[in-house]
Amino acid sequence: MTHLSVNINKVATLRNARGENTPNVQQVAKDCEEFGAEGITVHPRPDERHIRHDDVFKLRPLVRTEFNIEGNPIPDFVNLVLKVRPEQVTLVPDAPDALTSNAGWNIEANMEFLTNIVEKFKDAGIRTSIFVDPNPEQIKLAAKTGTDRVELYTKSYADHYHEDREKAVAPFVEASITAHKCGLGVNAGHDLNLDNLTFFKQKVPYLNEVSIGHALISDALYLGLRETIRRYKECLK
């Protein structure tokens, strides 16, 4: 079974636009779980332009499924994660001013750094996942860091899905098989949506989890949150 983790960053973006507490980020997280999501993802950035550190602390006792915190493991992020102790941490090489995640790690260039970070989180009992492009060689190197999983960066799949979906998904099939052979779990995320998710799930083996935020929250404006989550879960059957 492939789990759905809902990234609620965009809910926080909307709330922050007015500086008050509507919509309520904590309530939305609880609703997502009630409606069937198997996880909640947040990506706190240094400028706190959407999810704030305070949100992360408030969410920790509320999330009953899997709490996944993703971000660039700079010292402030590492300290936050170690204090909050989520079920999973996803390491993403975001620049501080990045609008959104736009590439996987160069594992070879960051091997020592990532190995030390992974060890620190695993010592704290936190499952680790490293954000990677669908490159078998990078995945083999990721396994050497001691990480538990990789998260496949799926933008290239989404970008080329309507041109040639078989060609678009092929690198992810190979990447997932490679990860499985290396003993790694497989997550995926970025620009997955109701249009392209079913095919991705059908083709990519060993898929443990997808993390979806922007598209899902956008769909919820039209469909409602309960119906949106139902449809995404249907894609993952």
Side-chain angles (χ1 to χ4, degrees):
M1 179 180 178
T2 301
H3 287 177
L4 171 66
S5 186
V6 177
N7 186 320
I8 58 173
N9 277 16
K10 286 298 185 293
V11 178
T13 301
L14 183 60
R15 175 203 61 190
N16 294 352
R18 289 290 294 267
E20 298 176 352
N21 197 35
T22 302
N24 185 304
V25 171
Q26 290 77 44
Q27 185 60 51
V28 170
K30 292 168 64 177
D31 290 340
C32 287
E33 290 186 316
E34 181 183 343
F35 299 154
E38 290 94 3
I40 300 296
T41 291
V42 294
H43 188 147
R45 287 186 163 87
D47 61 7
E48 297 191 315
R49 63 179 181 268
H50 33 64
I51 287 291
R52 302 166 180 158
H53 283 205
D54 183 55
D55 292 324
V56 180
F57 286 108
K58 288 179 179 178
L59 285 164
R60 172 65 285 190
L62 300 177
V63 175
R64 296 175 287 104
T65 54
E66 175 196 276
F67 195 24
N68 172 46
I69 303 178
E70 60 182 33
N72 192 328
I74 60 175
D76 282 351
F77 178 85
V78 172
N79 291 336
L80 174 68
V81 172
L82 290 175
K83 288 177 182 177
V84 174
R85 300 290 180 99
E87 282 73 30
Q88 179 174 267
V89 58
T90 302
L91 311 180
V92 184
D94 276 349
D97 59 349
L99 186 63
T100 186
S101 305
N102 55 25
W105 285 93
N106 180 335
I107 307 293
E108 184 175 12
N110 294 278
M111 177 64 76
E112 183 177 359
F113 172 72
L114 288 171
T115 300
N116 291 337
I117 292 291
V118 166
E119 182 179 5
K120 186 174 294 188
F121 286 139
K122 292 185 75 173
D123 285 347
I126 304 168
R127 184 172 74 232
T128 60
S129 179
I130 294 179
F131 197 64
V132 295
D133 296 312
N135 181 318
E137 295 309 312
Q138 290 292 328
I139 291 167
K140 291 174 186 176
L141 290 171
K144 294 181 179 180
T145 69
T147 190
D148 301 291
R149 295 186 182 183
V150 289
E151 178 170 329
L152 303 178
Y153 174 48
T154 51
K155 180 173 173 55
S156 65
Y157 166 73
D159 285 348
H160 301 291
Y161 173 77
H162 289 288
E163 297 171 14
D164 186 340
R165 63 182 186 174
E166 292 284 355
K167 183 177 179 180
V169 82
F172 296 90
V173 175
E174 182 182 7
S176 190
I177 291 171
T178 300
H180 182 71
K181 288 180 178 178
C182 291
L184 300 176
V186 180
N187 299 341
H190 204 91
D191 287 353
L192 295 174
N193 56 42
L194 289 174
D195 186 35
N196 61 37
L197 181 58
T198 298
F199 184 75
F200 189 84
K201 163 61 178 173
Q202 290 171 347
K203 291 293 183 177
V204 179
Y206 312 118
L207 189 59
N208 296 106
E209 173 184 302
V210 295
S211 176
I212 304 177
H214 183 83
L216 190 151
I217 299 303
S218 297
D219 289 332
L221 295 175
Y222 296 93
L223 302 171
L225 189 58
R226 184 192 298 270
E227 175 63 14
T228 298
I229 290 175
R230 186 194 70 78
R231 293 193 189 190
Y232 274 89
K233 284 174 62 67
E234 189 71 23
C235 293
L236 295 171
K237 286 186 177 178

